[in-house]
Amino acid sequence: MAIDTTIYVKPHSGISAYLDWLQMLTGAGLILFMWSHMMLVASVNLGVGVMNTIAHFFEATYMAQVGGPMIGLTFLVHFALAARKIPYRTKEQSTMWKHSKMLHHKDTWLWVVQAVTAMVILILGSIHMWTVLTDLPITAEKSAARIQGGFWLVFYLILLPMVELHVGIGFYRIAVKWGFIKRKTRKGFEGFENILTAIFILIGLVTLWRFMIIDV
Ligand code: HEM
């Protein structure tokens, strides 16, 4: 009797490519949001009145009330899509760790940093958004009082570097993966990206210090 040795391969549905696109698009949207968010919060360095005027504009036009929850939703969708690739089982994690050490490949390590920072951002970012959006309107005095309380200062000192690392690496990975930078220009882009990340962390630290010295 002849044995059928044909290997049946399930045809690809293409759905995973669409999900990859959506992951990239939501990630790019969140990167743009985080850059704008830092500029808006850092406006307090130009004066308490400047931040309050901008915050008032966002609330009077309902951008905070509608845009805020939309950012929250994008944040969750982005996490759900990226979670498809994060190793959760101990066995998967130890394999990932072994491969990272074995490959001596910087981008593999960057991916590990992305997965770890993602977990911290998921928890702290959700708490932060809930706290701010359920306590509108945003004012520089309220933000300063929160930060001067101490708890939120420590909270932001953890969240700030996590977010900036995640955003910086994400931006670099999007550019590599979707071909915006080539092998030749990769090194230069990496340098630019590191400086950009350092600048954002610095602006964030100066802003926290500014909140600390506002009279509340
Ligand atoms: C949904 C819309 C959001 C609003 C309306 C918002 C608003 C604010 C406000 C008013 C502050 C000043 C501090 C305070 O009042 O406690 C702040 C700081 C901060 N936010 Fe957000 N935020 C949003 C989303 C996010 C997200 C998604 C992240 C990252 C996951 C984030 C990360 C941070 C960080 C790191 C700081 C400290 C900035 C610094 O170092 O000066 N925020 N945000």
PDB file of all heavy atoms in Angstrom, residues 68-106:
ATOM      1  N   GLY A  68      -8.160  61.890  25.378  1.00  0.00           N
ATOM      2  CA  GLY A  68      -7.550  61.125  26.473  1.00  0.00           C
ATOM      3  C   GLY A  68      -7.953  59.651  26.434  1.00  0.00           C
ATOM      4  O   GLY A  68      -7.087  58.778  26.310  1.00  0.00           O
ATOM      5  N   PRO A  69      -9.287  59.360  26.506  1.00  0.00           N
ATOM      6  CA  PRO A  69      -9.699  57.952  26.436  1.00  0.00           C
ATOM      7  C   PRO A  69      -9.268  57.276  25.126  1.00  0.00           C
ATOM      8  O   PRO A  69      -8.976  56.082  25.105  1.00  0.00           O
ATOM      9  CB  PRO A  69     -11.228  58.037  26.517  1.00  0.00           C
ATOM     10  CG  PRO A  69     -11.488  59.304  27.267  1.00  0.00           C
ATOM     11  CD  PRO A  69     -10.398  60.250  26.864  1.00  0.00           C
ATOM     12  N   MET A  70      -9.211  58.058  24.010  1.00  0.00           N
ATOM     13  CA  MET A  70      -8.779  57.451  22.742  1.00  0.00           C
ATOM     14  C   MET A  70      -7.310  57.021  22.824  1.00  0.00           C
ATOM     15  O   MET A  70      -6.926  55.969  22.301  1.00  0.00           O
ATOM     16  CB  MET A  70      -8.976  58.435  21.582  1.00  0.00           C
ATOM     17  CG  MET A  70     -10.381  58.330  20.994  1.00  0.00           C
ATOM     18  SD  MET A  70     -10.732  59.655  19.861  1.00  0.00           S
ATOM     19  CE  MET A  70      -9.621  59.270  18.536  1.00  0.00           C
ATOM     20  N   ILE A  71      -6.506  57.839  23.501  1.00  0.00           N
ATOM     21  CA  ILE A  71      -5.110  57.461  23.706  1.00  0.00           C
ATOM     22  C   ILE A  71      -5.046  56.199  24.571  1.00  0.00           C
ATOM     23  O   ILE A  71      -4.286  55.268  24.292  1.00  0.00           O
ATOM     24  CB  ILE A  71      -4.311  58.617  24.373  1.00  0.00           C
ATOM     25  CG1 ILE A  71      -4.144  59.790  23.412  1.00  0.00           C
ATOM     26  CG2 ILE A  71      -2.949  58.160  24.886  1.00  0.00           C
ATOM     27  CD1 ILE A  71      -3.301  59.480  22.181  1.00  0.00           C
ATOM     28  N   GLY A  72      -5.896  56.173  25.603  1.00  0.00           N
ATOM     29  CA  GLY A  72      -5.953  55.001  26.482  1.00  0.00           C
ATOM     30  C   GLY A  72      -6.286  53.740  25.690  1.00  0.00           C
ATOM     31  O   GLY A  72      -5.661  52.685  25.878  1.00  0.00           O
ATOM     32  N   LEU A  73      -7.236  53.864  24.755  1.00  0.00           N
ATOM     33  CA  LEU A  73      -7.644  52.719  23.935  1.00  0.00           C
ATOM     34  C   LEU A  73      -6.498  52.289  23.008  1.00  0.00           C
ATOM     35  O   LEU A  73      -6.188  51.101  22.879  1.00  0.00           O
ATOM     36  CB  LEU A  73      -8.885  53.110  23.120  1.00  0.00           C
ATOM     37  CG  LEU A  73      -9.585  51.969  22.410  1.00  0.00           C
ATOM     38  CD1 LEU A  73     -10.209  51.026  23.442  1.00  0.00           C
ATOM     39  CD2 LEU A  73     -10.685  52.503  21.488  1.00  0.00           C
ATOM     40  N   THR A  74      -5.857  53.268  22.365  1.00  0.00           N
ATOM     41  CA  THR A  74      -4.737  52.971  21.458  1.00  0.00           C
ATOM     42  C   THR A  74      -3.631  52.250  22.229  1.00  0.00           C
ATOM     43  O   THR A  74      -3.016  51.294  21.732  1.00  0.00           O
ATOM     44  CB  THR A  74      -4.154  54.283  20.862  1.00  0.00           C
ATOM     45  OG1 THR A  74      -5.231  55.077  20.407  1.00  0.00           O
ATOM     46  CG2 THR A  74      -3.191  54.023  19.738  1.00  0.00           C
ATOM     47  N   PHE A  75      -3.392  52.720  23.456  1.00  0.00           N
ATOM     48  CA  PHE A  75      -2.393  52.154  24.349  1.00  0.00           C
ATOM     49  C   PHE A  75      -2.700  50.661  24.592  1.00  0.00           C
ATOM     50  O   PHE A  75      -1.827  49.805  24.476  1.00  0.00           O
ATOM     51  CB  PHE A  75      -2.516  52.985  25.638  1.00  0.00           C
ATOM     52  CG  PHE A  75      -1.586  52.682  26.758  1.00  0.00           C
ATOM     53  CD1 PHE A  75      -0.309  53.231  26.771  1.00  0.00           C
ATOM     54  CD2 PHE A  75      -1.989  51.904  27.832  1.00  0.00           C
ATOM     55  CE1 PHE A  75       0.544  53.006  27.841  1.00  0.00           C
ATOM     56  CE2 PHE A  75      -1.142  51.670  28.903  1.00  0.00           C
ATOM     57  CZ  PHE A  75       0.127  52.218  28.909  1.00  0.00           C
ATOM     58  N   LEU A  76      -3.977  50.345  24.875  1.00  0.00           N
ATOM     59  CA  LEU A  76      -4.347  48.954  25.160  1.00  0.00           C
ATOM     60  C   LEU A  76      -4.284  48.083  23.903  1.00  0.00           C
ATOM     61  O   LEU A  76      -3.822  46.943  23.946  1.00  0.00           O
ATOM     62  CB  LEU A  76      -5.758  48.880  25.766  1.00  0.00           C
ATOM     63  CG  LEU A  76      -5.866  49.456  27.182  1.00  0.00           C
ATOM     64  CD1 LEU A  76      -7.284  49.352  27.706  1.00  0.00           C
ATOM     65  CD2 LEU A  76      -4.897  48.749  28.145  1.00  0.00           C
ATOM     66  N   VAL A  77      -4.731  48.643  22.750  1.00  0.00           N
ATOM     67  CA  VAL A  77      -4.684  47.876  21.494  1.00  0.00           C
ATOM     68  C   VAL A  77      -3.226  47.579  21.139  1.00  0.00           C
ATOM     69  O   VAL A  77      -2.869  46.454  20.769  1.00  0.00           O
ATOM     70  CB  VAL A  77      -5.381  48.659  20.343  1.00  0.00           C
ATOM     71  CG1 VAL A  77      -5.118  48.005  18.992  1.00  0.00           C
ATOM     72  CG2 VAL A  77      -6.874  48.760  20.593  1.00  0.00           C
ATOM     73  N   HIS A  78      -2.383  48.589  21.285  1.00  0.00           N
ATOM     74  CA  HIS A  78      -0.960  48.413  20.974  1.00  0.00           C
ATOM     75  C   HIS A  78      -0.371  47.308  21.858  1.00  0.00           C
ATOM     76  O   HIS A  78       0.369  46.447  21.374  1.00  0.00           O
ATOM     77  CB  HIS A  78      -0.209  49.737  21.197  1.00  0.00           C
ATOM     78  CG  HIS A  78       1.252  49.653  20.911  1.00  0.00           C
ATOM     79  ND1 HIS A  78       1.749  49.541  19.628  1.00  0.00           N
ATOM     80  CD2 HIS A  78       2.333  49.657  21.731  1.00  0.00           C
ATOM     81  CE1 HIS A  78       3.070  49.489  19.679  1.00  0.00           C
ATOM     82  NE2 HIS A  78       3.453  49.548  20.944  1.00  0.00           N
ATOM     83  N   PHE A  79      -0.746  47.311  23.136  1.00  0.00           N
ATOM     84  CA  PHE A  79      -0.221  46.278  24.034  1.00  0.00           C
ATOM     85  C   PHE A  79      -0.723  44.899  23.612  1.00  0.00           C
ATOM     86  O   PHE A  79       0.059  43.947  23.518  1.00  0.00           O
ATOM     87  CB  PHE A  79      -0.602  46.563  25.499  1.00  0.00           C
ATOM     88  CG  PHE A  79      -0.313  45.379  26.370  1.00  0.00           C
ATOM     89  CD1 PHE A  79       1.002  45.078  26.709  1.00  0.00           C
ATOM     90  CD2 PHE A  79      -1.322  44.525  26.794  1.00  0.00           C
ATOM     91  CE1 PHE A  79       1.305  43.951  27.460  1.00  0.00           C
ATOM     92  CE2 PHE A  79      -1.030  43.404  27.547  1.00  0.00           C
ATOM     93  CZ  PHE A  79       0.288  43.120  27.889  1.00  0.00           C
ATOM     94  N   ALA A  80      -2.035  44.798  23.335  1.00  0.00           N
ATOM     95  CA  ALA A  80      -2.610  43.488  22.981  1.00  0.00           C
ATOM     96  C   ALA A  80      -1.923  42.932  21.723  1.00  0.00           C
ATOM     97  O   ALA A  80      -1.649  41.734  21.636  1.00  0.00           O
ATOM     98  CB  ALA A  80      -4.110  43.631  22.758  1.00  0.00           C
ATOM     99  N   LEU A  81      -1.627  43.808  20.748  1.00  0.00           N
ATOM    100  CA  LEU A  81      -0.984  43.351  19.510  1.00  0.00           C
ATOM    101  C   LEU A  81       0.461  42.921  19.768  1.00  0.00           C
ATOM    102  O   LEU A  81       0.922  41.895  19.265  1.00  0.00           O
ATOM    103  CB  LEU A  81      -1.009  44.462  18.455  1.00  0.00           C
ATOM    104  CG  LEU A  81      -2.403  44.808  17.913  1.00  0.00           C
ATOM    105  CD1 LEU A  81      -2.343  46.064  17.064  1.00  0.00           C
ATOM    106  CD2 LEU A  81      -2.959  43.644  17.102  1.00  0.00           C
ATOM    107  N   ALA A  82       1.180  43.718  20.572  1.00  0.00           N
ATOM    108  CA  ALA A  82       2.588  43.416  20.831  1.00  0.00           C
ATOM    109  C   ALA A  82       2.709  42.167  21.711  1.00  0.00           C
ATOM    110  O   ALA A  82       3.679  41.412  21.586  1.00  0.00           O
ATOM    111  CB  ALA A  82       3.258  44.605  21.509  1.00  0.00           C
ATOM    112  N   ALA A  83       1.689  41.937  22.568  1.00  0.00           N
ATOM    113  CA  ALA A  83       1.739  40.804  23.500  1.00  0.00           C
ATOM    114  C   ALA A  83       1.789  39.460  22.771  1.00  0.00           C
ATOM    115  O   ALA A  83       2.240  38.463  23.332  1.00  0.00           O
ATOM    116  CB  ALA A  83       0.532  40.847  24.427  1.00  0.00           C
ATOM    117  N   ARG A  84       1.366  39.461  21.480  1.00  0.00           N
ATOM    118  CA  ARG A  84       1.416  38.207  20.714  1.00  0.00           C
ATOM    119  C   ARG A  84       2.833  37.658  20.654  1.00  0.00           C
ATOM    120  O   ARG A  84       3.042  36.472  20.488  1.00  0.00           O
ATOM    121  CB  ARG A  84       0.989  38.452  19.253  1.00  0.00           C
ATOM    122  CG  ARG A  84      -0.453  38.815  19.052  1.00  0.00           C
ATOM    123  CD  ARG A  84      -0.703  39.203  17.611  1.00  0.00           C
ATOM    124  NE  ARG A  84       0.116  40.339  17.196  1.00  0.00           N
ATOM    125  CZ  ARG A  84       0.612  40.521  15.989  1.00  0.00           C
ATOM    126  NH1 ARG A  84       0.384  39.648  15.049  1.00  0.00           N
ATOM    127  NH2 ARG A  84       1.341  41.583  15.708  1.00  0.00           N
ATOM    128  N   LYS A  85       3.824  38.563  20.768  1.00  0.00           N
ATOM    129  CA  LYS A  85       5.204  38.117  20.561  1.00  0.00           C
ATOM    130  C   LYS A  85       6.025  38.065  21.846  1.00  0.00           C
ATOM    131  O   LYS A  85       7.189  37.722  21.817  1.00  0.00           O
ATOM    132  CB  LYS A  85       5.885  39.065  19.582  1.00  0.00           C
ATOM    133  CG  LYS A  85       5.247  38.995  18.216  1.00  0.00           C
ATOM    134  CD  LYS A  85       5.692  40.140  17.376  1.00  0.00           C
ATOM    135  CE  LYS A  85       4.885  40.179  16.096  1.00  0.00           C
ATOM    136  NZ  LYS A  85       5.102  41.426  15.396  1.00  0.00           N
ATOM    137  N   ILE A  86       5.416  38.451  22.963  1.00  0.00           N
ATOM    138  CA  ILE A  86       6.181  38.456  24.220  1.00  0.00           C
ATOM    139  C   ILE A  86       6.162  37.052  24.848  1.00  0.00           C
ATOM    140  O   ILE A  86       5.090  36.456  24.977  1.00  0.00           O
ATOM    141  CB  ILE A  86       5.599  39.510  25.204  1.00  0.00           C
ATOM    142  CG1 ILE A  86       5.761  40.911  24.612  1.00  0.00           C
ATOM    143  CG2 ILE A  86       6.300  39.435  26.570  1.00  0.00           C
ATOM    144  CD1 ILE A  86       5.244  42.032  25.476  1.00  0.00           C
ATOM    145  N   PRO A  87       7.336  36.513  25.189  1.00  0.00           N
ATOM    146  CA  PRO A  87       7.348  35.186  25.819  1.00  0.00           C
ATOM    147  C   PRO A  87       6.884  35.259  27.277  1.00  0.00           C
ATOM    148  O   PRO A  87       7.494  35.963  28.081  1.00  0.00           O
ATOM    149  CB  PRO A  87       8.827  34.769  25.743  1.00  0.00           C
ATOM    150  CG  PRO A  87       9.595  36.029  25.561  1.00  0.00           C
ATOM    151  CD  PRO A  87       8.676  37.073  25.014  1.00  0.00           C
ATOM    152  N   TYR A  88       5.776  34.566  27.605  1.00  0.00           N
ATOM    153  CA  TYR A  88       5.237  34.620  28.969  1.00  0.00           C
ATOM    154  C   TYR A  88       5.631  33.390  29.788  1.00  0.00           C
ATOM    155  O   TYR A  88       5.762  33.453  30.993  1.00  0.00           O
ATOM    156  CB  TYR A  88       3.708  34.746  28.943  1.00  0.00           C
ATOM    157  CG  TYR A  88       3.270  36.127  28.547  1.00  0.00           C
ATOM    158  CD1 TYR A  88       2.876  36.406  27.253  1.00  0.00           C
ATOM    159  CD2 TYR A  88       3.302  37.170  29.468  1.00  0.00           C
ATOM    160  CE1 TYR A  88       2.513  37.688  26.876  1.00  0.00           C
ATOM    161  CE2 TYR A  88       2.933  38.455  29.104  1.00  0.00           C
ATOM    162  CZ  TYR A  88       2.537  38.703  27.806  1.00  0.00           C
ATOM    163  OH  TYR A  88       2.188  39.969  27.439  1.00  0.00           O
ATOM    164  N   ARG A  89       5.799  32.231  29.096  1.00  0.00           N
ATOM    165  CA  ARG A  89       6.110  31.017  29.859  1.00  0.00           C
ATOM    166  C   ARG A  89       7.571  31.022  30.256  1.00  0.00           C
ATOM    167  O   ARG A  89       8.424  31.537  29.519  1.00  0.00           O
ATOM    168  CB  ARG A  89       5.826  29.787  28.994  1.00  0.00           C
ATOM    169  CG  ARG A  89       4.371  29.686  28.604  1.00  0.00           C
ATOM    170  CD  ARG A  89       3.976  28.242  28.342  1.00  0.00           C
ATOM    171  NE  ARG A  89       2.554  28.167  28.111  1.00  0.00           N
ATOM    172  CZ  ARG A  89       2.007  28.173  26.884  1.00  0.00           C
ATOM    173  NH1 ARG A  89       2.776  28.233  25.814  1.00  0.00           N
ATOM    174  NH2 ARG A  89       0.701  28.115  26.748  1.00  0.00           N
ATOM    175  N   THR A  90       7.876  30.433  31.422  1.00  0.00           N
ATOM    176  CA  THR A  90       9.245  30.407  31.933  1.00  0.00           C
ATOM    177  C   THR A  90      10.189  29.785  30.903  1.00  0.00           C
ATOM    178  O   THR A  90      11.300  30.263  30.684  1.00  0.00           O
ATOM    179  CB  THR A  90       9.295  29.580  33.246  1.00  0.00           C
ATOM    180  OG1 THR A  90       8.142  29.900  33.989  1.00  0.00           O
ATOM    181  CG2 THR A  90      10.531  29.890  34.046  1.00  0.00           C
ATOM    182  N   LYS A  91       9.708  28.710  30.248  1.00  0.00           N
ATOM    183  CA  LYS A  91      10.563  28.014  29.278  1.00  0.00           C
ATOM    184  C   LYS A  91      10.890  28.956  28.103  1.00  0.00           C
ATOM    185  O   LYS A  91      12.033  29.054  27.668  1.00  0.00           O
ATOM    186  CB  LYS A  91       9.824  26.773  28.764  1.00  0.00           C
ATOM    187  CG  LYS A  91      10.708  25.823  28.003  1.00  0.00           C
ATOM    188  CD  LYS A  91      10.053  24.453  27.889  1.00  0.00           C
ATOM    189  CE  LYS A  91      10.895  23.518  27.046  1.00  0.00           C
ATOM    190  NZ  LYS A  91      10.858  23.851  25.619  1.00  0.00           N
ATOM    191  N   GLU A  92       9.863  29.668  27.617  1.00  0.00           N
ATOM    192  CA  GLU A  92      10.074  30.607  26.501  1.00  0.00           C
ATOM    193  C   GLU A  92      11.026  31.724  26.917  1.00  0.00           C
ATOM    194  O   GLU A  92      11.892  32.148  26.155  1.00  0.00           O
ATOM    195  CB  GLU A  92       8.737  31.237  26.078  1.00  0.00           C
ATOM    196  CG  GLU A  92       7.759  30.275  25.437  1.00  0.00           C
ATOM    197  CD  GLU A  92       6.356  30.884  25.302  1.00  0.00           C
ATOM    198  OE1 GLU A  92       6.082  31.943  25.907  1.00  0.00           O
ATOM    199  OE2 GLU A  92       5.554  30.297  24.580  1.00  0.00           O
ATOM    200  N   GLN A  93      10.842  32.191  28.162  1.00  0.00           N
ATOM    201  CA  GLN A  93      11.681  33.301  28.632  1.00  0.00           C
ATOM    202  C   GLN A  93      13.142  32.879  28.740  1.00  0.00           C
ATOM    203  O   GLN A  93      14.045  33.616  28.350  1.00  0.00           O
ATOM    204  CB  GLN A  93      11.192  33.792  29.998  1.00  0.00           C
ATOM    205  CG  GLN A  93       9.924  34.600  29.880  1.00  0.00           C
ATOM    206  CD  GLN A  93       9.298  34.932  31.220  1.00  0.00           C
ATOM    207  OE1 GLN A  93       9.708  34.412  32.253  1.00  0.00           O
ATOM    208  NE2 GLN A  93       8.284  35.781  31.202  1.00  0.00           N
ATOM    209  N   SER A  94      13.359  31.645  29.247  1.00  0.00           N
ATOM    210  CA  SER A  94      14.764  31.231  29.392  1.00  0.00           C
ATOM    211  C   SER A  94      15.381  30.991  28.011  1.00  0.00           C
ATOM    212  O   SER A  94      16.563  31.266  27.799  1.00  0.00           O
ATOM    213  CB  SER A  94      14.902  30.027  30.323  1.00  0.00           C
ATOM    214  OG  SER A  94      14.468  28.883  29.671  1.00  0.00           O
ATOM    215  N   THR A  95      14.593  30.529  27.032  1.00  0.00           N
ATOM    216  CA  THR A  95      15.113  30.360  25.668  1.00  0.00           C
ATOM    217  C   THR A  95      15.488  31.719  25.087  1.00  0.00           C
ATOM    218  O   THR A  95      16.557  31.904  24.507  1.00  0.00           O
ATOM    219  CB  THR A  95      14.038  29.698  24.752  1.00  0.00           C
ATOM    220  OG1 THR A  95      13.556  28.550  25.387  1.00  0.00           O
ATOM    221  CG2 THR A  95      14.592  29.373  23.385  1.00  0.00           C
ATOM    222  N   MET A  96      14.597  32.697  25.290  1.00  0.00           N
ATOM    223  CA  MET A  96      14.839  34.055  24.790  1.00  0.00           C
ATOM    224  C   MET A  96      16.144  34.606  25.391  1.00  0.00           C
ATOM    225  O   MET A  96      16.978  35.184  24.699  1.00  0.00           O
ATOM    226  CB  MET A  96      13.637  34.921  25.203  1.00  0.00           C
ATOM    227  CG  MET A  96      13.685  36.363  24.746  1.00  0.00           C
ATOM    228  SD  MET A  96      13.542  36.477  22.983  1.00  0.00           S
ATOM    229  CE  MET A  96      14.560  37.903  22.657  1.00  0.00           C
ATOM    230  N   TRP A  97      16.296  34.385  26.696  1.00  0.00           N
ATOM    231  CA  TRP A  97      17.474  34.885  27.409  1.00  0.00           C
ATOM    232  C   TRP A  97      18.745  34.228  26.871  1.00  0.00           C
ATOM    233  O   TRP A  97      19.741  34.900  26.599  1.00  0.00           O
ATOM    234  CB  TRP A  97      17.293  34.608  28.914  1.00  0.00           C
ATOM    235  CG  TRP A  97      18.303  35.294  29.776  1.00  0.00           C
ATOM    236  CD1 TRP A  97      19.335  34.713  30.443  1.00  0.00           C
ATOM    237  CD2 TRP A  97      18.403  36.703  30.051  1.00  0.00           C
ATOM    238  NE1 TRP A  97      20.067  35.648  31.115  1.00  0.00           N
ATOM    239  CE2 TRP A  97      19.506  36.882  30.895  1.00  0.00           C
ATOM    240  CE3 TRP A  97      17.651  37.824  29.667  1.00  0.00           C
ATOM    241  CZ2 TRP A  97      19.898  38.138  31.369  1.00  0.00           C
ATOM    242  CZ3 TRP A  97      18.053  39.062  30.143  1.00  0.00           C
ATOM    243  CH2 TRP A  97      19.152  39.218  30.972  1.00  0.00           C
ATOM    244  N   LYS A  98      18.681  32.883  26.693  1.00  0.00           N
ATOM    245  CA  LYS A  98      19.854  32.147  26.178  1.00  0.00           C
ATOM    246  C   LYS A  98      20.217  32.650  24.793  1.00  0.00           C
ATOM    247  O   LYS A  98      21.381  32.884  24.491  1.00  0.00           O
ATOM    248  CB  LYS A  98      19.528  30.639  26.103  1.00  0.00           C
ATOM    249  CG  LYS A  98      19.910  29.897  27.375  1.00  0.00           C
ATOM    250  CD  LYS A  98      19.747  28.405  27.161  1.00  0.00           C
ATOM    251  CE  LYS A  98      19.126  27.762  28.393  1.00  0.00           C
ATOM    252  NZ  LYS A  98      18.118  26.775  28.126  1.00  0.00           N
ATOM    253  N   HIS A  99      19.211  32.805  23.935  1.00  0.00           N
ATOM    254  CA  HIS A  99      19.470  33.257  22.561  1.00  0.00           C
ATOM    255  C   HIS A  99      20.071  34.663  22.545  1.00  0.00           C
ATOM    256  O   HIS A  99      20.980  34.946  21.775  1.00  0.00           O
ATOM    257  CB  HIS A  99      18.182  33.226  21.740  1.00  0.00           C
ATOM    258  CG  HIS A  99      17.788  31.842  21.356  1.00  0.00           C
ATOM    259  ND1 HIS A  99      16.708  31.567  20.555  1.00  0.00           N
ATOM    260  CD2 HIS A  99      18.322  30.647  21.689  1.00  0.00           C
ATOM    261  CE1 HIS A  99      16.595  30.255  20.400  1.00  0.00           C
ATOM    262  NE2 HIS A  99      17.570  29.686  21.085  1.00  0.00           N
ATOM    263  N   SER A 100      19.546  35.534  23.445  1.00  0.00           N
ATOM    264  CA  SER A 100      20.055  36.901  23.474  1.00  0.00           C
ATOM    265  C   SER A 100      21.538  36.893  23.815  1.00  0.00           C
ATOM    266  O   SER A 100      22.333  37.612  23.226  1.00  0.00           O
ATOM    267  CB  SER A 100      19.308  37.738  24.509  1.00  0.00           C
ATOM    268  OG  SER A 100      17.953  37.731  24.234  1.00  0.00           O
ATOM    269  N   LYS A 101      21.911  36.033  24.804  1.00  0.00           N
ATOM    270  CA  LYS A 101      23.321  35.993  25.221  1.00  0.00           C
ATOM    271  C   LYS A 101      24.184  35.375  24.131  1.00  0.00           C
ATOM    272  O   LYS A 101      25.312  35.786  23.897  1.00  0.00           O
ATOM    273  CB  LYS A 101      23.448  35.180  26.521  1.00  0.00           C
ATOM    274  CG  LYS A 101      22.942  35.967  27.729  1.00  0.00           C
ATOM    275  CD  LYS A 101      23.545  35.500  29.034  1.00  0.00           C
ATOM    276  CE  LYS A 101      23.013  34.114  29.364  1.00  0.00           C
ATOM    277  NZ  LYS A 101      23.226  33.720  30.753  1.00  0.00           N
ATOM    278  N   MET A 102      23.601  34.370  23.443  1.00  0.00           N
ATOM    279  CA  MET A 102      24.355  33.611  22.447  1.00  0.00           C
ATOM    280  C   MET A 102      24.596  34.440  21.177  1.00  0.00           C
ATOM    281  O   MET A 102      25.668  34.404  20.602  1.00  0.00           O
ATOM    282  CB  MET A 102      23.535  32.371  22.096  1.00  0.00           C
ATOM    283  CG  MET A 102      24.266  31.279  21.389  1.00  0.00           C
ATOM    284  SD  MET A 102      23.160  29.863  21.349  1.00  0.00           S
ATOM    285  CE  MET A 102      21.894  30.408  20.231  1.00  0.00           C
ATOM    286  N   LEU A 103      23.589  35.219  20.804  1.00  0.00           N
ATOM    287  CA  LEU A 103      23.663  35.893  19.497  1.00  0.00           C
ATOM    288  C   LEU A 103      24.619  37.091  19.477  1.00  0.00           C
ATOM    289  O   LEU A 103      25.094  37.480  18.407  1.00  0.00           O
ATOM    290  CB  LEU A 103      22.265  36.378  19.072  1.00  0.00           C
ATOM    291  CG  LEU A 103      21.314  35.275  18.612  1.00  0.00           C
ATOM    292  CD1 LEU A 103      19.903  35.831  18.454  1.00  0.00           C
ATOM    293  CD2 LEU A 103      21.776  34.686  17.290  1.00  0.00           C
ATOM    294  N   HIS A 104      24.878  37.682  20.646  1.00  0.00           N
ATOM    295  CA  HIS A 104      25.711  38.897  20.714  1.00  0.00           C
ATOM    296  C   HIS A 104      25.218  39.929  19.708  1.00  0.00           C
ATOM    297  O   HIS A 104      25.998  40.520  18.963  1.00  0.00           O
ATOM    298  CB  HIS A 104      27.187  38.585  20.415  1.00  0.00           C
ATOM    299  CG  HIS A 104      27.820  37.760  21.474  1.00  0.00           C
ATOM    300  ND1 HIS A 104      27.981  38.191  22.764  1.00  0.00           N
ATOM    301  CD2 HIS A 104      28.313  36.496  21.435  1.00  0.00           C
ATOM    302  CE1 HIS A 104      28.548  37.241  23.479  1.00  0.00           C
ATOM    303  NE2 HIS A 104      28.749  36.186  22.702  1.00  0.00           N
ATOM    304  N   HIS A 105      23.923  40.092  19.650  1.00  0.00           N
ATOM    305  CA  HIS A 105      23.331  40.981  18.661  1.00  0.00           C
ATOM    306  C   HIS A 105      22.576  42.079  19.395  1.00  0.00           C
ATOM    307  O   HIS A 105      21.635  41.812  20.138  1.00  0.00           O
ATOM    308  CB  HIS A 105      22.381  40.154  17.773  1.00  0.00           C
ATOM    309  CG  HIS A 105      21.724  40.952  16.698  1.00  0.00           C
ATOM    310  ND1 HIS A 105      20.366  40.966  16.518  1.00  0.00           N
ATOM    311  CD2 HIS A 105      22.236  41.775  15.757  1.00  0.00           C
ATOM    312  CE1 HIS A 105      20.079  41.756  15.506  1.00  0.00           C
ATOM    313  NE2 HIS A 105      21.194  42.260  15.030  1.00  0.00           N
ATOM    314  N   LYS A 106      23.014  43.331  19.192  1.00  0.00           N
ATOM    315  CA  LYS A 106      22.454  44.429  19.982  1.00  0.00           C
ATOM    316  C   LYS A 106      20.934  44.553  19.832  1.00  0.00           C
ATOM    317  O   LYS A 106      20.225  44.774  20.802  1.00  0.00           O
ATOM    318  CB  LYS A 106      23.130  45.744  19.588  1.00  0.00           C
ATOM    319  CG  LYS A 106      23.057  46.743  20.714  1.00  0.00           C
ATOM    320  CD  LYS A 106      23.463  48.112  20.294  1.00  0.00           C
ATOM    321  CE  LYS A 106      22.388  48.710  19.434  1.00  0.00           C
ATOM    322  NZ  LYS A 106      22.738  49.246  18.201  1.00  0.00           N
TER     323      LYS A 106
END
